[in-house]
Amino acid sequence: AQKVTQAQTEISVVEKEDVTLDCVYETRDTTYYLFWYKQPPSGELVFLIRRNSFDEQNEISGRYSWNFQKSTSSFNFTITASQVVDSAVYFCALSEAISNTGNQFYFGTGTSLTVIP
Amino acid sequence: DTGVSQNPRHKITKRGQNVTFRCDPISEHNRLYWYRQTLGQGPEFLTYFQNEAQLEKSRLLSDRFSAERPKGSFSTLEIQRTEQGDSAMYLCASSLAWGQPQHFGDGTRLSIL
């Protein structure tokens, strides 16, 4: 079973619009971390944000904000006032505490965001 | 912080040939991971090193794949007798500890002719 599900395959927004990327995860572990990464056309995965399972406080960092809800196993990511440079594929990832694989990251299939000028 | 470095960036080879990729992690990171990414998919875990010890391998890693991390510094991933299905982006990542972000290299794109 997929541990991380990103149901949105592609999203297009017009510049300056807000956009929310959805992520649903599955784990039996009570201790875990969730991450969002950005992969621009150049290919390198860039770390954006991290959240641990014990901290459900939602935060804002610049134009980025996230909504972590354990009750629905969701970790959604919002970009406010989108810009063309935000165009990329965004990946949600889960890392569990109990692991025999070095706490590998389980990635979703990604959401391709296109910001139209 | 020079980041994670991977070489080569691209590798084109004929089916049946052997290929080797190199990863230089961030120097103070003792954890090193290899992932494989195909088009339209997220990265999939292949193997993990803590220092020089290879502690886990995915079922995705067939016997044709071998990885090393001598002296706990750089790592190499070798694929023997390459097959068409090996065509993918091979990503290396390193981190300091669990819960810390994994930092990824630019990847090596492998194309099998």
Side-chain angles (χ1 to χ4, degrees), chain B residues 10 31 34 60 111:
Chain B
H10 304 277
R31 292 177 169 228
W34 285 97
L60 294 175
S111 299

Side-chain angles (χ1 to χ4, degrees), chain A residues 31-33 35 37 39 42 44-45 47 50 91 95-97 100-105 107-109, chain B residues 9 31 33 35 37 40-43 45 48 55-56 89 91 98-106:
Chain A
T31 305
Y32 51 89
Y33 277 89
F35 300 81
Y37 279 80
Q39 189 172 41
S42 57
E44 182 180 352
L45 279 157
F47 164 69
R50 172 186 65 164
F91 290 96
S95 181
E96 300 166 312
N100 61 356
T101 58
N103 313 113
Q104 62 155 301
F105 280 18
F107 285 89
T109 51
Chain B
R9 290 294 307 275
R31 292 177 169 228
Y33 303 80
Y35 291 84
Q37 185 178 22
Q41 300 296 316
F45 170 76
Y48 158 65
L55 297 184
E56 193 61 32
M89 176 75 86
L91 297 167
W98 176 65
Q100 296 297 314
Q102 291 184 14
H103 296 269
F104 285 80
D106 289 339

Side-chain angles (χ1 to χ4, degrees), chain A residues 1-6 23-37 51-53 68 73 75 91-97 99 101-108, chain B residues 35 98 102:
Chain A
Q2 192 77 6
K3 281 185 174 283
V4 177
T5 301
Q6 294 179 253
C23 173
V24 174
Y25 63 93
E26 180 181 332
T27 181
R28 295 182 180 179
D29 209 336
T30 57
T31 305
Y32 51 89
Y33 277 89
L34 294 161
F35 300 81
W36 276 96
Y37 279 80
R51 208 76 190 143
N52 73 55
S53 54
F68 175 36
S73 296
F75 184 50
F91 290 96
C92 179
L94 163 72
S95 181
E96 300 166 312
S99 167
T101 58
N103 313 113
Q104 62 155 301
F105 280 18
Y106 296 94
F107 285 89
Chain B
Y35 291 84
W98 176 65
Q102 291 184 14

Side-chain angles (χ1 to χ4, degrees), chain A:
Chain A
Q2 192 77 6
K3 281 185 174 283
V4 177
T5 301
Q6 294 179 253
Q8 304 154 307
T9 306
E10 296 181 2
I11 300 177
S12 292
V13 298
V14 176
E15 198 170 21
K16 297 184 183 178
E17 286 184 346
D18 298 347
V19 57
T20 295
L21 308 180
D22 297 334
C23 173
V24 174
Y25 63 93
E26 180 181 332
T27 181
R28 295 182 180 179
D29 209 336
T30 57
T31 305
Y32 51 89
Y33 277 89
L34 294 161
F35 300 81
W36 276 96
Y37 279 80
K38 174 183 179 180
Q39 189 172 41
S42 57
E44 182 180 352
L45 279 157
V46 178
F47 164 69
L48 296 177
I49 58 175
R50 172 186 65 164
R51 208 76 190 143
N52 73 55
S53 54
F54 295 107
D55 186 356
E56 287 193 73
Q57 185 175 2
N58 296 312
E59 291 187 19
I60 298 173
S61 176
R63 294 188 299 111
Y64 298 156
S65 62
W66 47 98
N67 186 346
F68 175 36
Q69 294 192 350
K70 289 176 73 171
S71 60
T72 56
S73 296
S74 65
F75 184 50
N76 298 336
F77 174 62
T78 297
I79 303 173
T80 303
S82 60
Q83 302 174 1
V84 173
V85 293
D86 295 328
S87 296
V89 180
Y90 289 81
F91 290 96
C92 179
L94 163 72
S95 181
E96 300 166 312
I98 299 176
S99 167
N100 61 356
T101 58
N103 313 113
Q104 62 155 301
F105 280 18
Y106 296 94
F107 285 89
T109 51
T111 298
S112 178
L113 173 65
T114 300
V115 180
I116 303 165

Side-chain angles (χ1 to χ4, degrees), chain B residues 11-72:
Chain B
K11 181 70 177 178
I12 302 173
T13 192
K14 293 182 179 180
R15 184 167 53 91
Q17 298 295 304
N18 300 341
V19 294
T20 300
F21 312 139
R22 177 180 170 123
C23 171
D24 288 89
I26 294 172
S27 57
E28 62 267 27
H29 287 183
N30 58 4
R31 292 177 169 228
L32 187 147
Y33 303 80
W34 285 97
Y35 291 84
R36 181 169 66 189
Q37 185 178 22
T38 54
L39 198 62
Q41 300 296 316
E44 292 179 297
F45 170 76
L46 291 179
T47 190
Y48 158 65
F49 288 85
Q50 181 144 349
N51 299 311
E52 68 275 10
Q54 186 176 19
L55 297 184
E56 193 61 32
K57 296 193 294 185
S58 162
R59 290 177 289 110
L60 294 175
L61 214 63
S62 77
D63 292 343
R64 297 183 297 104
F65 288 69
S66 62
E68 294 182 343
R69 193 183 182 194
K71 303 179 182 178

